[in-house]
Amino acid sequence: FPGSPQTAAMLEALRWWVVEGPPASLLLVGPQSVGKTGAAIAALHERCRRDLRGGFMTTAVRLLGEIRAGFQDRNRLPEGCEDPFRRVELVPYLLLDDIGKEHSTDWVLATMFDLLDGRNRNARPTLFTSNLSLEDLWGRLGQSNVDRIIEMCGRGQGIIEIAQDAPNLRVGGGG
């Protein structure tokens, strides 16, 4: 995976998460297009392969849309369809990409808290990515949600901030 001095701490944290890792979670915050999602997907795949356990990757926006649709159409779900909330609450490993991109409504904040609380109580490791700073996440997700993420990330030890000057991989700035 292409790295840079600005992403070295992120790559090292993901290597730790794969080899030593869970039950801790990781939050990767920094500018868009620096490789957070790609590196996190690779780590999720490797962790699942090593443990022979399941994982799931989704964006926060997509997940919340699926949960909302599931609540509205609960009686119309086809036979064998899984409740999206339960799926992500209980999957052994979850990558929740682009947290903070969703519109913050009371329903979003409450649903996100229920999801984070359930994963935390069940010791389910989660990889989070965000283009927002930690301070901006507080403003978008609320203190209780961000506090839960910090708790899941080993009281903040698993929060990796990527420098704003990291190379943009989408426009040819990476290795």
Side-chain angles (χ1 to χ4, degrees), residues 1-4 6-8 10-11 28-39 130-131 161-171 173-174:
F1 189 85
S4 68
Q6 297 91 334
T7 59
M10 172 188 73
L11 295 175
L28 310 175
V29 295
Q32 68 182 29
S33 303
V34 297
K36 296 181 304 291
T37 299
S130 182
N131 295 335
E161 296 187 64
I162 299 155
Q164 291 297 313
D165 65 345
N168 183 320
L169 299 179
R170 291 196 177 118
V171 294

Side-chain angles (χ1 to χ4, degrees), residues 64-96:
L64 291 164
E66 288 177 2
I67 291 170
R68 185 182 299 273
F71 286 149
Q72 293 170 347
D73 299 330
R74 188 170 302 279
N75 294 329
R76 288 188 266 158
L77 285 175
E79 184 73 29
C81 273
E82 196 173 4
D83 175 352
F85 185 89
R86 294 291 291 162
R87 178 181 65 219
V88 296
E89 182 183 38
L90 297 176
V91 69
Y93 301 114
L94 174 66
L95 167 51
L96 191 54

